[in-house]
Amino acid sequence: GAFNLGSATLDVSLGYTPVAGDQFTIVHTGGALSGTFQGLPNGKKFTIDGYVLRINYTAHNAIITVVQPAPHQGEASGTGTILTHNNQASFSFSVANDNTNGSPSGNLTYTDPKGGIRLTSSSITSVTLTGNEVSFSGAGTMPNSKPNKKPVPVSFTVVATDNGNAGTSDTFTIQISSPYYATGNLTSGNIVVH
């Protein structure tokens, strides 16, 4: 028969290591399903044990899908170029979130000659490794275009994806507070996430 969730509280725990795409039918009824779990409308993403999950409701089912695996400790590095602003921009980075004191570490250099960008990191403030992707943020400096002026402090965020062996299928995205944004597939180089 029909079943109404009536804003019931959902209590989920994972007893194994799920992978993206895993699905669980948590409610199945032969009749119509109505209502939602409290605070979880259709399509809502939520986090359990570090994993990003999404809930969907159909006419007869409530289904949870693992959207993204939990972030993990490790390191990532990359060197290469992307085509941006009709020009080759180059980057080099090495970051980690598994050092002994638990804080992120690493470095980044990024240069876009036509865009007037020459960024050197001074600190890495966060590193998140999820599957084949690394996202990291930090602070750095760029040269000041005015004579005899100190370098300009900036913040940045990078998202890089390792899509296989040495390759042009890897991607690199950077956002700098200057403001500046660039993204693209590598035209040379490689990104490694492990």
Side-chain angles (χ1 to χ4, degrees), residues 108-112 115-122 139-146 149-156 174-180:
L108 165 73
T109 58
Y110 179 82
T111 305
D112 176 355
I117 303 296
R118 198 169 76 232
L119 168 66
T120 303
S121 66
S122 56
T141 58
M142 294 194 331
N144 194 325
S145 60
K146 297 177 182 162
K149 296 292 181 179
K150 292 182 179 182
V152 176
V154 294
S155 59
F156 62 86
I174 187 166
Q175 175 80 50
I176 304 173
S177 62
S178 56
Y180 175 89

Side-chain angles (χ1 to χ4, degrees), residues 115-139:
I117 303 296
R118 198 169 76 232
L119 168 66
T120 303
S121 66
S122 56
S123 67
I124 302 296
T125 56
S126 71
V127 175
T128 303
L129 295 126
T130 308
N132 65 332
E133 181 179 280
V134 62
S135 173
F136 62 95
S137 298

Side-chain angles (χ1 to χ4, degrees), residues 6-185:
S7 293
T9 300
L10 178 64
D11 184 13
V12 176
S13 63
L14 300 171
Y16 80 110
T17 303
V19 296
D22 282 359
Q23 287 191 333
F24 311 94
T25 300
I26 58 172
V27 174
H28 174 75
T29 180
L33 178 65
S34 61
T36 63
F37 286 103
Q38 183 179 7
L40 296 172
N42 190 46
K44 175 77 174 183
K45 292 180 183 176
F46 59 102
T47 303
I48 300 292
D49 297 337
Y51 292 86
V52 178
L53 310 175
R54 181 184 61 238
I55 191 158
N56 290 99
Y57 305 95
T58 67
H60 304 285
N61 300 306
I63 302 167
I64 294 176
T65 304
V66 178
V67 176
Q68 193 173 42
H72 56 86
Q73 290 187 326
E75 54 191 44
S77 59
T79 301
T81 59
I82 60 172
L83 183 62
T84 184
H85 308 278
N86 297 317
N87 157 67
Q88 290 287 334
S90 61
F91 66 89
S92 178
F93 71 88
S94 177
V95 295
N97 69 356
D98 63 347
N99 55 4
T100 55
N101 66 7
S103 61
S105 63
N107 59 69
L108 165 73
T109 58
Y110 179 82
T111 305
D112 176 355
K114 277 193 177 174
I117 303 296
R118 198 169 76 232
L119 168 66
T120 303
S121 66
S122 56
S123 67
I124 302 296
T125 56
S126 71
V127 175
T128 303
L129 295 126
T130 308
N132 65 332
E133 181 179 280
V134 62
S135 173
F136 62 95
S137 298
T141 58
M142 294 194 331
N144 194 325
S145 60
K146 297 177 182 162
N148 302 320
K149 296 292 181 179
K150 292 182 179 182
V152 176
V154 294
S155 59
F156 62 86
T157 299
V158 169
V159 177
T161 307
D162 177 1
N163 287 320
N165 291 336
T168 55
S169 61
D170 292 351
T171 62
F172 182 86
T173 301
I174 187 166
Q175 175 80 50
I176 304 173
S177 62
S178 56
Y180 175 89
Y181 175 84
T183 188
N185 284 19

